[in-house]
Amino acid sequence: MPAPHNTALPSYACPRILAGQKALVTGASSGIGKAVALGLGRAGADVAVNYNTKDEIAREVVEEIRGFGVQAIAVKADVADEDAVRAMFKTVFDAFGTVDILVANAGLQRDAKIDEMTLEQWKAVIDVNLTGQFLCAREAVREFKRRGVREGVSVAAGKIICMSSVHQVIPWAGHANYAASKGGVDMLMQSMAQELAPLRIRVNSIAPGAIRTPINRPAWETPEAYAKLMELVPYKRIGEPEDIAQAAVFLASDMADYINGTTLFVDGAMTCYPGFATGG
Ligand code: BGC
């Protein structure tokens, strides 16, 4: 039984616009990453499902993706570990030959007031959310540069999608490490796009708002929390992981070929200053 505040997404037929492409999605054993991995597979891509701890769930995601008639593998790696990231890409190349799409999604929160935040909490978030995206993007770019455009597969030599957040622009008290990491992701993404565009490599971000995933469960799991959350969401529904998956499929596809160096906010207008709807 869905909760009363659950809003079903419209169903749609998914054209296989990523047929023949090879994708790697980090942090793909839950939440947004899992939905993105499934979405790319449904759109025809072969998908490597990166995870760090949840072996069993990653295997289930792989099985579900294979149900779309594409290849899928699970690859364990901590994206903050340079050697592990290198080994992960090698596993992907051994299985798929190359990679066309990287969705640098793995991320976490370690919330604390600034004066109570430990260096460990700060580092955990920066290491995974920002350094992890750099390490994965670097390996992907090395492969894109080596290989160039794959004729008949995509008009671009490679696509990187950085998973950012509305908190790349919305300051977030009690979550300074997280907001700083996402602000960093924005500049990492734009700088890479500027540097790599002449090579036909596209780099973009998706900035999700409040999406129904384990990372923010307390913000939506009770009707009271949900009502409070809706004060921040002009569209008056929580985002579902599939909302992000659809944006990722589009950005990864040649339909988005002229979109480079930008952030697609998928947030039900959360970044439109909802407090000003009635005030100011
Ligand atoms: C955070 C969530 C939060 C959302 C909107 C996301 O990036 O991970 O915890 O609900 O932003 O504030």
Side-chain angles (χ1 to χ4, degrees):
M1 253 287 276
H5 50 259
N6 196 351
T7 315
L9 287 174
S11 66
Y12 65 101
C14 181
R16 291 172 82 83
I17 53 176
L18 302 178
Q21 301 206 40
K22 317 291 179 187
L24 167 61
V25 183
T26 65
S29 61
S30 78
I32 287 173
K34 176 179 168 183
V36 168
L38 288 165
L40 297 179
R42 192 149 78 127
D46 295 326
V47 185
V49 172
N50 160 256
Y51 68 99
N52 192 19
T53 53
K54 304 188 190 96
D55 304 60
E56 189 52 39
I57 304 177
R59 271 197 295 275
E60 285 168 22
V61 177
V62 161
E63 281 314 310
E64 208 176 328
I65 294 172
R66 287 180 181 158
F68 299 126
V70 296
Q71 297 180 64
I73 55 165
V75 202
K76 183 177 164 74
D78 173 358
V79 296
D81 176 335
E82 185 172 26
D83 292 340
V85 168
R86 283 214 187 98
M88 169 171 72
F89 274 81
K90 182 166 186 319
T91 304
V92 174
F93 299 152
D94 288 347
F96 294 164
T98 189
V99 71
D100 304 285
I101 299 161
L102 166 68
V103 182
N105 166 79
L108 47 79
Q109 287 182 215
R110 294 285 181 270
D111 308 330
K113 289 191 167 35
I114 197 73
D115 53 318
E116 289 165 11
M117 189 176 287
T118 63
L119 182 58
E120 212 178 7
Q121 287 171 318
W122 171 266
K123 278 189 174 161
V125 171
I126 299 295
D127 285 358
V128 171
N129 296 14
L130 184 55
T131 308
Q133 293 212 12
F134 155 67
L135 290 173
C136 293
R138 188 180 65 176
E139 295 310 309
V141 169
R142 286 174 176 166
E143 173 64 5
F144 299 160
K145 278 188 161 182
R146 182 197 64 76
R147 178 195 16 84
V149 172
R150 290 210 291 149
E151 296 296 337
V153 175
S154 171
V155 295
K159 281 87 53 154
I160 297 175
I161 298 170
C162 300
M163 202 55 69
S164 186
S165 163
V166 290
H167 297 295
Q168 74 171 38
V169 293
I170 302 178
W172 206 14
H175 308 73
N177 48 358
Y178 185 84
S181 74
K182 296 302 185 178
V185 164
D186 182 33
M187 272 296 132
L188 172 65
M189 178 279 288
Q190 292 192 57
S191 301
M192 291 196 295
Q194 191 189 58
E195 182 174 327
L196 300 167
L199 304 172
R200 285 268 188 120
I201 296 169
R202 293 194 295 111
V203 190
N204 292 288
S205 288
I206 296 174
I211 309 297
R212 192 196 306 272
T213 71
I215 208 171
N216 59 356
R217 183 176 293 279
W220 52 261
E221 72 179 343
T222 66
E224 295 72 33
Y226 189 84
K228 186 101 188 98
L229 182 62
M230 286 308 104
E231 290 173 15
L232 299 174
V233 185
Y235 205 56
K236 300 301 172 205
R237 78 162 168 86
I238 194 167
E240 302 295 343
E242 292 72 24
D243 286 307
I244 307 303
Q246 286 157 206
V249 169
F250 167 67
L251 279 180
S253 79
D254 284 351
M255 287 172 70
D257 187 54
Y258 207 51
I259 301 179
N260 201 356
T262 199
T263 298
L264 178 52
F265 285 81
V266 184
D267 68 350
M270 185 180 244
T271 35
C272 291
Y273 297 93
F276 279 77
T278 52

